[in-house]
Amino acid sequence: MVVAQNIQASWIVNSYDLIFNPGEGGEVSETSRKVTFGKAYENSYNETNNTTSVKDLPTPTREGCIFLGWYTSKEGGDAVNRYTIMSEEGTEIYAHWLETWTVKTTITKLNAEYNDRNDKGTPENPYLISNAEELAFFAKQLQNKIGDYYKYSYKQTSVIDLSRDSGNKQVDYVWQAIGFSSTTAFCGTYDGQGFAILNLKTTDITNASTGLLRDYQGLFGYTTNATLKNINIINGKVYGENFVGAVAGFMNGGSISNCRNGAEVEGKENCGLVGSANCVKVTTCYNYGTINGTKYVGGVVGYAQSGGEKAFTHIENCYSKCVVTATSDAGGITGYASSYTKISACGFNGDVTASSNKASLVGQSENEAVITNCFAIITGTSDMNWKNGNGTVTNSISKLSNDTNKKYTGSDFSNWSVLDTTSTQPLPAGFSWLGTGGRKLTENDINKLGYSIKVD
């Protein structure tokens, strides 16, 4: 008698190699991974222990280049990302790159003020920067972590046009920030001596594999205890994701003084002349470039962070004459001021647009944040507060540009003045952008100048 038996087929789904090709000059930490057929590229299969882990595609690096994403061909092709489905054995994807000024520069060394001395790069004998290629060489040394370039002193000696090479030929190279991460941070001194920087432009192309722009964008990307002074950016367009500032994306400690910006800034969080300042002394800076973002957006500093009573960010004698646009936490001086942040003798002349937490001076503030002796001239049609949140405002004024809604807070205006008897714009002592001196004022004088609405 024959007994019938049921047997069942058992199938194992193949796992295929996904190969990452970074291209000539590029490097990538993960050269390939196994991915099961029909699964997304993010599912990395381990044949040894029969397990799958979920992880993003690797980010390759290439000197002087910005990674634009992974594609199906060396040139052209379709963009792929972690969610692309594995469909065939031996799939190879290719890194696409955008070359920047740091690749294009032909400079191989910088001259110091006194080349015959051994103290090159010190404050007494700084390296000299006179054109775009020398500035790009400086950025390149930090990118590649060469020697002590990250902590040297530099002095700009002429106008720099980032749309022209050393032969004065018109070029279209994008700028890669000086120190674009915490590991390549600039820690030295840069003195622009007031010389103009023209046509500063970072890339507005997103990473095709992540859909993101880049963090830490600006002339400088990331600084640690650096001194930035007398920098004069005339025009341009600075794009980024987070920590986007015309002069600096993120400053951790240090100081910035007597810097100006006319370039447009566009990012998401932490955007301004300085994107984010952590325990930084910000003095005598002027922004007239439009600032656009989503959150923590300010005319001078996007996000002002302080560490306590002895370690804090102080924004003083700064002037913002621009339009600030965000979704939330937007202010004419700063989008956000943490506890212990100090803002004094500052002025804003422009408009702020946001769905929530918009203010003429500080979009959102925490306890112990102090705003004192500041003024705002609002060019829009609707009035707004000096600040939102729990910070305090003292001895400050604001009005609409049509000379209505003139209000003030505080009672001690002894340090304020008007420049002459015909002027109707009071200015605080220590604010120098519209002139200094003039007739000293009292609270009664403030009232006589039309600031009749007192806000306690």
Side-chain angles (χ1 to χ4, degrees):
M1 179 178 179
V2 178
V3 179
Q5 291 183 331
N6 292 325
I7 57 175
Q8 294 180 329
S10 177
W11 301 94
I12 298 176
V13 180
N14 287 333
S15 292
Y16 296 148
D17 286 317
L18 175 64
I19 302 166
F20 302 106
N21 187 336
E24 184 177 356
E27 297 180 355
V28 64
S29 58
E30 183 183 8
T31 57
S32 67
R33 71 174 57 163
K34 289 284 187 181
V35 180
T36 302
F37 175 80
K39 296 289 186 180
Y41 286 173
E42 67 178 1
N43 296 285
S44 179
Y45 177 67
N46 187 317
E47 289 182 309
T48 303
N49 54 21
N50 193 30
T51 59
T52 298
S53 58
V54 177
K55 57 183 180 179
D56 205 349
L57 302 186
T59 299
T61 57
R62 180 180 167 190
E63 181 182 327
C65 296
I66 295 172
F67 175 54
L68 297 179
W70 293 106
Y71 286 79
T72 56
S73 299
K74 288 184 178 180
E75 296 182 4
D78 298 321
V80 299
N81 57 41
R82 63 187 298 171
Y83 304 112
T84 302
I85 301 301
M86 190 64 169
S87 60
E88 60 181 311
E89 169 64 29
T91 296
E92 188 169 7
I93 57 178
Y94 303 86
H96 282 198
W97 302 96
L98 176 68
E99 293 184 329
T100 71
W101 258 110
T102 54
V103 169
K104 300 299 184 179
T105 181
T106 59
I107 299 298
T108 57
K109 68 175 183 177
L110 295 176
N111 290 317
E113 194 154 25
Y114 306 101
N115 267 332
D116 57 344
R117 288 174 21 183
N118 294 325
D119 60 345
K120 298 181 184 67
T122 63
E124 296 77 21
N125 190 19
Y127 282 113
L128 305 180
I129 295 188
S130 63
N131 58 47
E133 293 204 32
E134 290 176 347
L135 190 66
F137 173 81
F138 167 32
K140 184 177 181 179
Q141 303 317 294
L142 268 70
Q143 175 185 305
N144 295 331
K145 303 179 183 179
I146 304 297
D148 290 335
Y149 281 92
Y150 73 97
K151 65 178 182 180
Y152 285 146
S153 292
Y154 302 84
K155 186 163 70 174
Q156 187 175 332
T157 59
S158 63
V159 172
I160 293 176
D161 188 348
L162 288 168
S163 69
R164 294 188 177 276
D165 63 15
S166 58
N168 204 34
K169 179 182 177 182
Q170 189 82 26
V171 295
D172 189 28
Y173 307 151
V174 297
W175 181 251
Q176 190 168 28
I178 300 167
F180 56 83
S181 69
S182 60
T183 59
T184 60
F186 177 59
C187 308
T189 296
Y190 187 92
D191 183 356
Q193 295 199 114
F195 287 107
I197 294 177
L198 305 171
N199 301 305
L200 174 65
K201 181 180 69 173
T202 65
T203 180
D204 63 344
I205 302 173
T206 59
N207 180 325
S209 297
T210 64
L212 301 176
L213 286 162
R214 285 129 202 102
D215 294 340
Y216 307 114
Q217 294 299 301
L219 179 66
F220 290 83
Y222 198 115
T223 70
T224 299
N225 296 323
T227 299
L228 307 180
K229 57 185 179 181
N230 306 317
I231 295 169
N232 186 12
I233 298 171
I234 300 297
N235 62 351
K237 186 68 178 283
V238 178
Y239 299 92
E241 190 78 10
N242 303 310
F243 305 103
V244 186
V247 177
F250 178 72
M251 293 189 70
N252 185 23
S255 66
I256 176 171
S257 62
N258 198 31
C259 293
R260 303 185 184 202
N261 171 60
E264 183 178 350
V265 172
E266 184 169 338
K268 290 190 176 178
E269 295 189 6
N270 308 307
C271 304
L273 179 146
V274 175
S276 182
N278 180 35
C279 300
V280 177
K281 186 175 182 180
V282 185
T283 56
T284 321
C285 290
Y286 172 40
N287 176 66
Y288 55 98
T290 301
I291 310 293
N292 301 307
T294 57
K295 191 175 184 180
Y296 308 136
V297 182
V300 179
V301 175
Y303 191 104
Q305 178 72 38
S306 297
E309 294 181 354
K310 296 183 178 180
F312 55 87
T313 290
H314 188 183
I315 305 172
E316 183 179 23
N317 187 24
C318 291
Y319 187 37
S320 174
K321 191 175 183 180
C322 69
V323 173
V324 177
T325 304
T327 303
S328 67
D329 298 315
I333 301 301
T334 184
Y336 187 90
S338 75
S339 294
Y340 301 105
T341 296
K342 300 182 187 303
I343 300 168
S344 61
C346 290
F348 172 64
N349 187 338
D351 198 18
V352 179
T353 301
S355 299
S356 62
N357 290 341
K358 69 174 183 177
S360 60
L361 298 177
V362 179
Q364 181 64 286
S365 60
E366 294 182 5
N367 287 324
E368 307 298 334
V370 176
I371 304 116
T372 184
N373 293 315
C374 294
F375 72 92
I377 302 172
I378 303 163
T379 59
T381 57
S382 60
D383 194 16
M384 62 185 80
N385 298 327
W386 289 286
K387 59 86 184 178
N388 295 300
N390 297 319
T392 60
V393 181
T394 60
N395 304 326
S396 296
I397 63 174
S398 74
K399 68 176 183 178
L400 295 182
S401 58
N402 63 6
D403 231 28
T404 62
N405 292 76
K406 299 173 80 169
K407 63 187 181 184
Y408 73 100
T409 185
S411 58
D412 184 3
F413 288 87
S414 59
N415 288 324
W416 288 63
S417 63
V418 290
L419 298 184
D420 55 58
T421 56
T422 62
S423 175
T424 59
Q425 179 57 54
L427 299 174
F431 180 84
S432 62
W433 289 102
L434 300 179
T436 59
R439 177 171 56 88
K440 295 296 184 181
L441 302 179
T442 65
E443 182 179 358
N444 187 49
D445 292 323
I446 291 290
N447 297 151
K448 289 179 179 179
L449 289 167
Y451 293 86
S452 58
I453 306 169
K454 185 169 185 178
V455 180
D456 294 323

